Amino acid sequence: MTRTFEEWKSWYEAHAEPADPIEGASLYFEPEHGFFYYKIFPDIRAMYVDHFATDNYQYLFRRAREIARAAGCGEVITQTFHPAKAYARLSKAHLDLEHSTRGENGKWYWAFTEVLNNVESNRT
């Protein structure tokens, strides 16, 4: 289904939380598949994906991996307030308890890290 960015953002906010990206984040958007914000951290060779709205998680996360690799990143980091077990099954990323935290809104956010170019962690 094709939607405008505002339609995708409204859908996300109705089902999750306000889509307020972290400072310095960039937007990736496809009308057919949704959006995510991301920020590259070159000092740790990682890309942080923030506020992910899609009708096809596997497709859009492949795009995130492509952006990360092109930027020279070795990891993709995400956080979610959804159940950790379900997110791990969907993303194939590894739970990162060190970076899991309670947000300013009071919700607990599980952090996940996927090491790129690792056959075991890239199953999608």
Side-chain angles (χ1 to χ4, degrees):
M1 172 191 310
T2 299
R3 298 178 183 167
T4 66
F5 173 71
E6 285 304 321
E7 289 170 327
W8 276 109
K9 185 177 177 188
S10 293
W11 179 86
Y12 175 85
E13 290 179 339
H15 292 89
E17 62 186 352
D20 299 325
I22 61 172
E23 186 176 328
S26 298
L27 172 67
Y28 180 83
F29 169 63
E30 286 189 29
E32 298 81 15
H33 296 294
F35 76 92
F36 59 87
Y37 292 103
Y38 66 95
K39 184 171 181 176
I40 305 293
F41 291 91
D43 54 324
I44 60 170
R45 295 187 56 244
M47 182 172 97
Y48 175 67
V49 176
D50 193 18
H51 303 294
F52 200 99
T54 185
D55 64 348
N56 186 335
Y57 179 88
Q58 302 302 338
Y59 171 82
L60 213 55
F61 206 79
R62 278 193 299 273
R63 295 295 296 131
R65 289 185 193 108
E66 290 169 7
I67 293 168
R69 286 185 183 107
C73 296
E75 297 178 338
V76 175
I77 301 166
T78 58
Q79 287 185 314
T80 184
F81 59 82
H82 297 294
K85 188 174 182 179
Y87 190 82
R89 197 170 42 246
L90 178 65
S91 70
K92 309 298 186 216
H94 301 283
L95 181 60
D96 182 350
L97 291 175
E98 181 181 340
H99 294 103
S100 297
T101 188
R102 189 159 311 281
E104 291 178 13
N105 59 7
K107 292 181 183 178
W108 181 258
Y109 289 84
W110 297 103
F112 288 84
T113 299
E114 180 176 358
V115 177
L116 300 176
N117 301 322
N118 178 336
V119 173
E120 286 303 308
S121 69
N122 288 342
R123 298 182 191 147
T124 59

